[in-house]
Amino acid sequence: VLHKGELLNLQLEMYTVRGKYFEALQIGRSALDLFSLALPESYNMQFIEREHKKLERLFHEKGTIEDIQKSKNETNNLIIKILNTMTIPASLVDYYLFKLLILKAIMYIINNGITKNSAVSILNYGFLLGPVWSSFQDGNNLGDYALSLCLELNDKYNESYIYERLNFIKLWNMHLLQNEPLNKKGFISGIESGNLFIAGKILVNMAINKYFIGTKLSEILKDLDEAHIFNMKIKNNVMIATIRAFYVAITMLMNNQEKPQDNSFTKEDYTEEYFFNQFNQNQDFLLQCHYFILKMKIQFLLHNAEEAYLISELIAKHIHVISGYYHISAIENDTFVGLG
């Protein structure tokens, strides 16, 4: 059963990378069925809230996440890995399932112990606590604990992933000055472990942080140039397009075509017609899509969920315009591209 589960998880990863998200989730369900962990077929936000209450009661009974025993059980470790892997396609096509998978992983960890792959689950829960349940400080504490687990296990691959996600948890908690040393360590971990995709993303995150702490825009462009050179070398096309979008945005700010303090999106200014015209004016659909995704991310990071949702809705309505390009960009999945 363990061997079959590992094969199904590998298949799940392959389908996810290829953009076949619904098929990937079905494979993930089959993998969990092997271990008698069936997921419900229907769920809504009320269901998610009930599951979260169950989890809170479990924590009340068992203590904090730091009190949970360590486990070297290979089956438990694989189950956590499957749940973690499923969160990637779920975040893109089924946001309720995304939340449910994270909650199920934490419940499983509480009942069966912390394994090597648990650090990512704990980080994901911390990542979820802030924007969904407004527990930003708790999310920050869980992120720090997830990182300490990876450091304890010398797990460089997952460590780089956790550093990259911690960037946004720290941003939400306004711990902006902590991000520079964390991102530098994450970049080194990504290089050392061969997780070059994450290393490339971290370079871009470093530029984002400088925007929020008020660094000169010309300095941010220099950072983007360095990130572009690195991602060109590793042929990371998703991040190359993202960097180009950032470059357009920063250049617009420098030219005073868009005021930095004007961060709001209204239905009057950003109508469906306006969005469609923007695509028609720029034949580089991939660049234009990333530019709008960038705007959506900034709104999300600033806790303007309604504005972020509006932009994501518009992107979804015109998904046919950019065809498979959106699926390529969606794999990036660093700040909930699947929010809408």
Side-chain angles (χ1 to χ4, degrees):
V1 173
L2 186 64
H3 181 62
K4 189 173 182 180
E6 289 171 344
L7 290 176
L8 283 173
N9 184 69
L10 181 60
Q11 195 175 4
L12 162 61
E13 292 175 346
M14 290 172 62
Y15 272 76
T16 299
V17 171
R18 291 168 60 190
K20 296 188 175 183
Y21 307 124
F22 291 104
E23 293 92 335
L25 290 173
Q26 195 55 52
I27 292 168
R29 284 177 176 273
S30 298
L32 293 176
D33 285 342
L34 286 175
F35 305 101
S36 302
L37 286 174
L39 293 172
E41 292 294 335
S42 61
Y43 32 78
N44 52 26
M45 193 58 201
Q46 288 72 31
F47 182 85
I48 301 299
E49 290 291 352
R50 288 196 297 271
E51 290 296 300
H52 190 230
K53 292 294 183 186
K54 287 182 189 176
L55 180 56
E56 288 180 328
R57 286 195 294 271
L58 264 178
F59 273 126
H60 184 71
E61 294 170 6
K62 305 278 187 176
T64 65
I65 197 83
E66 291 90 341
D67 297 326
I68 300 171
Q69 63 180 355
K70 302 290 198 321
S71 169
K72 293 184 179 180
N73 186 287
E74 290 186 18
T75 299
N76 292 342
N77 193 46
L78 177 60
I79 289 170
I80 293 301
K81 187 175 184 179
I82 293 168
L83 289 167
N84 289 342
T85 308
M86 287 180 72
T87 61
I88 299 173
S91 70
L92 300 170
V93 297
D94 192 338
Y95 195 52
Y96 290 139
L97 180 59
F98 169 74
K99 298 175 187 176
L100 181 60
L101 288 165
I102 292 173
L103 296 179
K104 290 292 186 186
I106 297 298
M107 288 180 188
Y108 193 86
I109 289 168
I110 292 173
N111 289 320
N112 297 280
I114 290 177
T115 68
K116 183 178 180 180
N117 288 314
S118 297
V120 172
S121 304
I122 294 167
L123 174 82
N124 284 340
Y125 183 48
F127 192 75
L128 198 63
L129 275 179
V132 178
W133 286 291
S134 299
S135 299
F136 291 99
Q137 186 55 51
D138 289 341
N140 182 72
N141 294 341
L142 286 171
D144 288 341
Y145 180 64
L147 177 60
S148 71
L149 282 177
C150 275
L151 294 173
E152 181 184 325
L153 296 168
N154 196 29
D155 182 0
K156 293 289 184 181
Y157 192 88
N158 281 331
E159 181 185 317
S160 61
Y161 174 85
I162 286 173
Y163 273 123
E164 194 273 330
R165 282 294 174 94
L166 264 178
N167 176 81
F168 297 100
I169 292 176
K170 297 295 182 185
L171 188 59
W172 292 331
N173 283 277
M174 302 307 292
H175 298 161
L176 298 176
L177 297 180
Q178 294 181 23
N179 271 338
E180 185 175 359
L182 288 175
N183 279 322
K184 286 180 178 177
K185 291 177 181 177
F187 179 74
I188 293 170
S189 296
I191 296 295
E192 290 179 350
S193 66
N195 198 350
L196 300 182
F197 180 74
I198 290 293
K201 288 174 70 177
I202 288 174
L203 286 179
V204 180
N205 289 348
M206 292 169 79
I208 298 175
N209 288 326
K210 289 192 174 181
Y211 172 80
F212 284 107
I213 62 176
T215 303
K216 287 184 179 179
L217 298 178
S218 57
E219 293 297 318
I220 297 175
L221 288 182
K222 290 180 183 177
D223 285 356
L224 289 174
D225 283 334
E226 292 179 6
H228 186 260
I229 291 169
F230 179 86
N231 282 284
M232 285 287 287
K233 285 181 178 179
I234 63 173
K235 298 180 180 179
N236 186 349
N237 292 332
V238 175
M239 292 314 299
I240 290 167
T242 302
I243 292 164
R244 290 172 64 195
F246 269 110
Y247 217 95
V248 170
I250 298 300
T251 303
M252 286 176 68
L253 289 173
M254 290 179 70
N255 294 335
N256 292 322
Q257 295 177 15
E258 181 173 306
K259 296 179 181 178
Q261 66 268 27
D262 182 15
N263 253 331
S264 62
F265 288 81
T266 65
K267 292 183 180 179
E268 290 73 25
D269 295 333
Y270 289 84
T271 61
E272 191 170 338
E273 181 182 3
Y274 169 84
F275 184 83
F276 191 70
N277 287 338
Q278 288 296 303
F279 274 111
N280 288 339
Q281 290 168 17
N282 188 343
Q283 294 302 309
D284 190 342
F285 294 147
L286 180 58
L287 173 59
Q288 194 64 50
C289 179
H290 271 281
Y291 177 61
F292 275 89
I293 289 176
L294 167 64
K295 285 177 173 287
M296 180 181 72
K297 287 178 179 178
I298 289 175
Q299 292 302 312
F300 187 62
L301 290 171
L302 293 174
H303 301 170
N304 296 333
E306 187 176 346
E307 288 83 353
Y309 182 83
L310 171 63
I311 302 167
S312 65
E313 233 182 6
L314 293 173
I315 292 172
K317 284 182 180 177
H318 293 291
I319 196 170
H320 63 279
V321 177
I322 45 178
S323 186
Y325 286 130
Y326 186 75
H327 293 286
I328 295 171
S329 66
I331 293 172
E332 179 191 357
N333 185 37
D334 56 348
T335 48
F336 293 22
V337 174
L339 177 68

